[in-house]
Structure formats: C-alpha cells, structure tokens
Amino acid sequence: MNVEVLLEEIISFIGIYYILTAGLNVKAGMTGIPDFGHAMFFAVGGIVVGNLSARIAAAAAASQLHVSSWQAVKMVISNNTELMARVNEILPHMPGVSIVIILVSVIAALVLGGLLGWLASYPALRLRGDYLAIMLLAASEGTRIFAMYYKPLMGKTPTVGLTVPNAFGFTGNAGLWSTIFILILAILVYIYAERFHHSPSGRLFRAVRDDEASAEAIGKDIAKVRRDAMIIGSAIAALAGVAYSFSPWIAGSSVAAISIFDRVLWTFWPWALMILGGMSSNKGAALSSVILGALLIGPIRIYKNDIAAALHVESLGIDPGNFANALEYILVAALIIIVLFVKPKGLIPEYPSRTVSKDEVKATIDKIAREGAA
Amino acid sequence: MDWNLFTSTTIYASVLALLSLGITLIYMTTKVFNFAHPRLSLVAAYAAATLMAYYAQSTGAQPNLTPKSSFLGSLTVPFSWEFYVIGVIVAMAFGVIAALVEYYGILKPLQRRGADYLMLMIATLAYDFLLVATLFIYNTHVDVRKVLARIGVLSTKMSMTSYDVTIVTSGGAFISGSFIFSVILILLLGVSLYLLLFKTTLGVKMRASVENPPLAEVLGINVERVYAISWIISGLTAGLAGYLMLMAAGAGNLKPISATSPADEIVVSAFAGSIIGGVNSIFGSIAGGLLIGYIELYIPNWLAIWTGNAELFKYSKVISMLAVAITLLFAPEGLAGLLKGERWKKLFGRKEEEGVSEE
C-alpha cells in the first residue's frame, strides 16, 4: 500500500466528512432541525459535477473532438462514457478551463444546495421533532429514487452514473491536488463555522433551538431563523458533494445516484459524527471527523482484510471478506452506543460563544468611568 | 384485473401493514421511530430459513414439487406441514428476541439516562448497524451456507418461493400459500388486536398507559409491563413479516433476502404506512400499511398502462414518499384523523380515547 495515497485518502475522507458534518451541525445541532435527509443536499454536489461541469468541459473540448459545442453538450447524457473518456484526455491540457470548471462547480453547488434547502424549509417551518425527521428522510428517499431512474439527470445506468470531468488533471497529480482542494474547502468551512458559532446569528440560532417561545417573545423571526439554517446547512452539504465528486480517491471516476444519495453514508454517518463530536460543537465535529477518518480509512478500510486474517475467523467458519465488511459497521455502531451511554454530550460539548474579549470589556468600562468622571 | 399483480401486491401490502403496526406500537409506547424495525424481520427470516433447512436436513425430507389434484385444483405442497409451522414459530420467536434486546439492551437504559428523541433515533440506527454486521457474518458462515444450500437456497440471496404451497385452480388462476397466509394473518391480527385492546382488562391498561403514563402508574397499572407487551407484539409482527418476505421474495417491491435487502428499501415505505395511519393509531397503521402497499404498486401500474411507458414503474416508491409528505403537511393525524365518524372513532385510536375519558 502506497503511503502517499493512503495519506491523501485519509485527508480527503476527513475533509469531506468534516464539511458534511459542519453543514448538518448548523441545521441539527445549532437550530434543532432534525435533518434525516442530509444526503439529498450532499447529492446536489454530485449532480452539479456530473452534469454542469461535465457539460462545460464537453463544450470547451468540442472543437478538438470535431463536433459543435451544442452537440458535445447533448452527448454528455446520450453518450457519456465515450465522450467523457475523450474529454478527460483533452482537459488536462486546458488549465484555464479546468480552474473555471472547479470554481463554477463550487459556486453552482452552493447556490443550488441553498435553493434546495430553502425549498426543504417549507416542511421545516410547519413540522417539529421526529415528524420533521421522517418528512425529510422521505423527501431524500423520493429524490434518490427519482434521480436514480431519471436518465437526463444521472445517466443510463443507476449504478454507473456519470463520468466526472478530470478537472485536476492539469496539475499532473490529480490525487494530491484534489486532496489539497478538499483540505482548503474544509479549512474555509471550519473558519466560517467557528465564526458563525460565535456570531450574533449563531447565538440567535441556538436561542431559537433552546426556547422558541422566548426567542419569539423578544421579537425574533423564528421562521426566518429556521429557513436560514436550512439554506446555510444545505449549501455546505452541497459543497461536500463537490469535494467528494472531484476526489479520485473517494468517488473514483464517476458519480452515480446510487452512491451520492446513499443514506447510510451521507445522512447517518454525519449524524453519528455529530453526536460523537457533540451536537452544535464545531470543534467536536472536526475532532470526530479526524478520529473516524483516521480510524476507518486507515486501519479498517485498508487493513480490514489483514485484521480478519490475523483473527483467524475462517477457522470458526466465518467468511473473512464479509467479516471485514461487518467490522466497519460494528465499529461505528459500537462507537455511537458507547458515546450515547458514556458521553451523551459528545467529545467536545457545545462551548459558549466568545463574544467580546476581556480587554475590550475592560477598556469600555474604563471609558465609561472616565466619561463619568469628566 | 391482473390476478398475479393482485396477489403479489396483497402480500407486499401485508408485509408493510405488519411493519407499520410494529413501528406505530413502538412509537406510541417508547416515543421513538425505530429505524431498525425492518431489520428485525431479516433476523427472523434468517433464523426461520436456517431452522427450516435444518429440519429438512435432519428428517431427510426432499422437496416434493409434483402437483396433486384436489378439489381446489392442482395443489403443490413441497414439504410436510411441520416445515412451515417451524418457520412461522421460529420467525416470531426471533423477531421478539431481537426486539426485546433492542428495548432492554439499548433504548430503555438510554431513556433512563434522559436521552431525547434524537439520541434514541440514533441509537436505533446503531442497533440497525449491529444487526447488519451480524447478518453479514452470519449469512456467509460456512455451516449456514451448507445447510441452506442443501435445500437449494442461496444464503446471500435468500428466497423460498419455490417451496411455497401453491394452488393452480381449474380456471388457471395461480394462488400461493403466502397470499392466503397473509390475508388470514391480517384479518386475524385486526380481530385479535381489537379484542385485546377493547375487550380485555389488559387492553384497557394498555390504552391507559399510552394515553397518560403517569396517571396510569398512579392507578396501579404496571406501565413497564405494558411497554414490554407492545414490544413483544411488534417483535411478533416483525417476525411474521420476515416469514412472508422469505416465502414470497419477489412479490411486489420485495427483493430476495440478504443482510441489507429488502429492509433498506422497505424501511421508508413502512414508515410511510405508519405515518399515513396517523402514527398514534394501531388500526390506522394497519390500514396505512395496506394502503401504501396497494398504491405503491397500482398507481404506477395504471400510469404505465395509461401512458404506455413501462419505465414509470421504477418510480413506484416515489408515490409513498409523496403520500408521507402530503399526510404530514396537510393531514398530520393521518387516516385516524380523517375518519372521525362515531363508528370509526371506536376503531381508530386517538379521538376515541378522548371520548372515553369524557364519559
């Protein structure tokens, strides 16, 4: 096993899961909207990369393929595999176009994710608690089934999906640069989430979560807070989808409806990570992503077969390959249950907002005192 | 009218009704949507299949697939009746065991520690993962594979449809044993639940504990035991659903049984049935499950015939998702809320209980 690849894989995994969990944290942790349809917003990223950026790439490469741009754009769905294979040969020689594709994907995913979040806030304003959770789960499942079989959206075969344009090909080392891209996105999201946590709106979101009635009594618009939380959280989730889709290590060479809408991977996992790190705790989300990223991709996903072999499970009549797959589930389940029992508030419980620094408070007091004296 | 579509839809609808009933019972007592519920059926199905195969192996029975003529038409009974009885009983037993482990092992201790509904929901997910892992290991175990292979069943794609009792009538209509079983089961379940809830003291206690647990406790009702009984009932029904999944894999939207399938696909439909029934209504959940089963298969079928586009059939599950959305947004009390007539009140939960307290 190549150490460099392993390291890139771990970092990509941590980055994608951190971004996804940070998005969920805004919705579920800070505002108390139990979003069990998080995968739907994540999938927006995959759909943007598979459709929009693939079309841009095809249009840009059209002249070298001896077809008109319009024909190339149409071929993205009708003849996906063949066209994209040729586009991906041409694209590495067009660094300008590649950078445009990446930027457009990020912006489009943020906009579309926010838009879908805004749409999903319609039920979020009307329902509460577990009803809302089931509603969003049903919405996510419905979109998944629709996307899976709707050919203009996700291609002819639901399990194969659409080939991703090789936007990082121009750097010469797509694996490394996509990892750096994910890392940058994750750091930006971390800074944003941390600032948001301490900001007045972050405090307002938590106030609405803790006591809607009193927040309303002091004149806060509850509906707007819940809607904003859905928009921000969903936009961040869509960003995670873009990061995932561009990663040759995690997504591979194509995005398929069956994998980007997977509710276990993209809804329940972020939930587990959020509970593990601590609800409404951004630092906790980052820590749990790092722990699980290092645990799962490292020892379990790479060495699970070795672990199964070392335990000699086949002597008990157990199939080592399936034992290895089961290990992943057992680990996650055990981790969730232990955290729920031992540390229900998570590894880093919700921390108070840092508002004004001590010195600033002191300076203000001094100023008032001076003005009073004068 | 397509007879085969009708029978397979009925089996599928019955499975959904059984699961919705279990989800509703658990929600009423424990206040948690149990995401692991359809997985309990898979556990039951694996236990039943293994012991049925083991029984066939130990008695040396070979499947007898030659039809006999009877007064109904040509009848095929591949195994002796003990084979099927073992299946049903083992499925029910393991459904109950898996449900009770979930309740006493995870949910109840967590509730005692003051966990909120989100934590309980996540805990049911974790239990679901544990069951998946267990089934992953179990269904590829050498011995399990060997036992099942002896009667020609693939352990990772399990189906016993070929060993179902079948009747081909003189008119050419095909009737499977699991169709008859599911119809009788739903009727029996409806009647016995009605008798239990409305004609016995235990039923009064159960309804009281659901309506107002602290008050029921003050009046000397053992609320804990009532909760345990509802978990047992939902385990039983999950087990029966598992047996139906095993005997009728391929009916409706049911897939052959593996560690993940059909639970992963069916879970949202089962929740849809429970929600359409009104979440807090036992009979509503049975009706809701049946309704979801029928509309999920009949509406796309009609649409496909009407538009001549068979592709539409693939979207069948979108219908149950839409049904959930419409119910939650516009009629949150579901079927139970819609049917408010005097007679219906008696059958469909919630409203009725308010009537009793007024008397």
Side-chain angles (χ1 to χ4, degrees):
Chain A
M1 191 76 208
N2 190 338
V3 179
E4 195 184 316
V5 170
L6 176 64
L7 213 63
E8 285 169 10
E9 226 175 289
I10 290 176
I11 293 171
S12 305
F13 185 88
I14 292 172
I16 290 164
Y17 267 106
Y18 167 68
I19 300 173
L20 197 56
T21 313
L24 186 63
N25 216 356
V26 172
K27 290 191 264 194
M30 293 178 75
T31 326
I33 300 170
D35 190 354
F36 274 71
H38 205 49
M40 172 168 63
F41 306 107
F42 174 83
V44 170
I47 292 169
V48 164
V49 171
N51 283 279
L52 185 67
S53 67
R55 286 193 165 86
I56 299 172
S63 63
Q64 293 189 40
L65 295 171
H66 311 294
V67 288
S68 75
S69 310
W70 181 239
Q71 275 174 316
V73 167
K74 275 204 280 190
M75 275 161 73
V76 166
I77 293 297
S78 65
N79 206 352
N80 185 271
T81 329
E82 245 173 81
L83 173 83
M84 289 312 288
R86 288 176 67 192
V87 166
N88 280 344
E89 281 168 19
I90 298 165
L91 204 59
H93 306 296
M94 301 171 144
V97 175
S98 302
I99 290 168
V100 167
I101 286 172
I102 295 165
L103 287 178
V104 167
S105 305
V106 167
I107 293 164
L110 284 174
V111 171
L112 286 174
L115 206 65
L116 192 62
W118 177 67
L119 280 177
S121 73
Y122 181 78
L125 298 180
R126 277 150 195 83
L127 299 168
R128 290 289 178 276
D130 28 24
Y131 286 83
L132 179 55
I134 296 294
M135 168 82 215
L136 288 167
L137 178 68
S140 165
E141 279 300 289
T143 358
R144 181 181 73 92
I145 293 151
F146 177 75
M148 207 140 113
Y149 298 113
Y150 189 61
K151 285 171 191 159
L153 197 64
M154 290 313 292
K156 283 181 193 137
T157 336
T159 45
V160 177
L162 297 171
T163 309
V164 173
N166 186 10
F168 287 95
F170 73 95
T171 57
N173 187 349
L176 176 68
W177 283 94
S178 69
T179 308
I180 292 172
F181 169 70
I182 291 170
L183 198 61
I184 292 170
L185 284 184
I187 290 170
L188 287 177
V189 169
Y190 180 83
I191 294 168
Y192 173 77
E194 200 55 25
R195 284 186 65 90
F196 190 71
H197 180 90
H198 297 297
S199 74
S201 20
R203 278 176 277 150
L204 171 61
F205 279 32
R206 292 198 296 278
V208 169
R209 175 200 62 191
D210 290 339
D211 195 338
E212 245 177 55
S214 58
E216 205 163 16
I218 54 168
K220 301 297 179 191
D221 188 349
I222 307 289
K224 188 174 172 295
V225 167
R226 286 175 83 91
R227 194 178 60 224
D228 288 355
M230 282 305 283
I231 293 173
I232 296 170
S234 310
I236 295 175
L239 198 63
V242 172
Y244 162 87
S245 307
F246 276 134
S247 168
W249 301 132
I250 313 288
S253 58
S254 68
V255 284
I258 206 160
S259 52
I260 54 173
F261 275 99
D262 191 306
R263 66 166 178 265
V264 173
L265 285 180
W266 312 120
T267 300
F268 297 158
W269 266 86
W271 267 98
L273 287 174
M274 189 176 64
I275 298 271
L276 178 66
M279 296 272 281
S280 173
S281 159
N282 182 44
K283 289 193 178 104
L287 179 68
S288 61
S289 312
V290 171
I291 291 177
L292 232 61
L295 262 178
L296 263 173
I297 283 289
I300 301 292
R301 280 215 186 143
I302 312 283
Y303 298 111
K304 59 188 180 186
N305 291 320
D306 301 330
I307 295 171
L311 290 173
H312 291 292
V313 287
E314 69 277 4
S315 62
L316 298 169
I318 296 166
D319 184 68
N322 271 280
F323 180 78
N325 287 332
L327 260 183
E328 211 175 298
Y329 281 96
I330 292 175
L331 183 86
V332 182
L335 214 59
I336 295 173
I337 291 174
I338 290 169
V339 166
L340 285 178
F341 273 97
V342 181
K343 247 179 136 35
K345 284 197 179 305
L347 295 175
I348 304 178
E350 184 184 337
Y351 39 92
S353 344
R354 183 167 33 72
T355 45
V356 189
S357 72
K358 222 174 172 182
D359 297 336
E360 239 173 292
V361 174
K362 220 176 164 191
T364 318
I365 292 170
D366 288 349
K367 203 178 142 203
I368 293 167
R370 251 182 285 125
E371 276 167 10
Chain B
M1 179 106 169
D2 185 343
W3 174 254
N4 286 339
L5 179 70
F6 174 70
T7 55
S8 73
T9 307
T10 304
I11 297 168
Y12 178 63
S14 311
V15 169
L16 285 187
L18 289 168
L19 292 175
S20 301
L21 170 70
I23 289 167
T24 294
L25 269 175
I26 291 173
Y27 185 76
M28 285 167 83
T29 53
T30 321
K31 297 285 173 248
V32 59
F33 281 116
N34 183 15
F35 280 106
H37 204 70
R39 198 80 55 191
L40 305 180
S41 302
L42 297 195
V43 173
Y46 267 107
T50 318
L51 281 163
M52 283 158 96
Y54 187 74
Y55 170 78
Q57 185 185 15
S58 56
T59 55
Q62 287 295 334
N64 170 22
L65 294 173
T66 44
K68 286 174 285 190
S69 64
S70 70
F71 68 99
L72 284 164
S74 62
L75 173 78
T76 314
V77 186
F79 284 103
S80 64
W81 61 272
E82 291 100 335
F83 181 78
Y84 302 100
V85 172
I86 286 174
V88 175
I89 289 173
V90 170
M92 290 200 294
F94 274 81
V96 171
I97 292 170
L100 288 181
V101 167
E102 181 178 8
Y103 181 51
Y104 284 108
I106 297 176
L107 294 179
K108 207 176 150 197
L110 273 179
Q111 259 181 342
R112 231 184 251 147
R113 282 156 200 258
D116 62 356
Y117 77 97
L118 271 178
M119 290 184 172
L120 293 179
M121 257 174 158
I122 295 290
T124 65
L125 277 176
Y127 185 66
D128 196 32
F129 285 4
L130 278 183
L131 291 184
V132 172
T134 315
L135 290 178
F136 260 137
I137 294 172
Y138 182 81
N139 74 6
T140 46
H141 193 279
V142 176
D143 297 341
V144 175
R145 236 189 269 186
K146 221 183 275 171
V147 166
L148 286 173
R150 202 193 149 272
I151 56 166
V153 175
L154 203 63
S155 69
T156 49
K157 224 179 165 186
M158 208 167 57
S159 151
M160 284 203 182
T161 30
S162 44
Y163 302 132
D164 201 0
V165 177
T166 53
I167 301 163
V168 180
T169 60
S170 45
F174 182 87
I175 304 169
S176 67
S178 40
F179 168 67
I180 299 170
F181 182 64
S182 64
V183 171
I184 294 172
L185 194 62
I186 290 295
L187 292 176
L188 213 63
L189 195 69
V191 172
S192 53
L193 274 174
Y194 176 75
L195 291 178
L196 173 70
L197 287 173
F198 295 99
K199 301 290 170 198
T200 62
T201 341
L202 180 65
V204 176
K205 284 180 183 171
M206 283 182 83
R207 287 185 295 144
S209 323
V210 168
E211 195 70 12
N212 192 338
L215 186 62
E217 224 155 31
V218 168
L219 291 172
I221 294 169
N222 188 347
V223 175
E224 267 316 314
R225 201 169 67 195
V226 169
Y227 285 8
I229 289 168
S230 38
W231 272 86
I232 289 172
I233 296 174
S234 48
L236 276 178
T237 52
L240 288 168
Y243 177 77
L244 274 177
M245 286 176 190
L246 176 68
M247 296 310 282
N253 278 343
L254 294 174
K255 285 186 184 166
I257 294 171
S258 69
T260 51
S261 209
D264 279 358
E265 297 97 33
I266 213 175
V267 60
V268 193
S269 300
F271 273 111
S274 169
I275 281 166
I276 285 183
V279 193
N280 279 313
S281 158
I282 290 175
F283 294 97
S285 71
I286 298 178
L290 287 174
L291 188 68
I292 283 287
Y294 282 109
I295 62 172
E296 209 173 82
L297 293 172
Y298 269 97
I299 291 181
N301 192 44
W302 284 328
L303 282 177
I305 292 169
W306 185 47
T307 59
N309 184 359
E311 286 279 292
L312 280 173
F313 213 82
K314 288 178 181 167
Y315 299 107
S316 64
K317 289 237 166 202
V318 175
I319 289 166
S320 42
M321 307 303 119
L322 279 177
V324 172
I326 292 167
T327 312
L328 282 178
L329 290 175
F330 302 111
E333 276 186 44
L335 288 176
L338 289 176
L339 306 167
K340 279 181 180 160
E342 217 32 67
R343 182 164 282 275
W344 291 108
K345 266 191 195 172
K346 231 183 154 43
L347 278 176
F348 290 86
R350 221 178 188 178
K351 284 287 146 197
E352 191 266 341
E353 259 114 78
E354 284 168 20
V356 165
S357 59
E358 276 162 26
E359 274 162 21

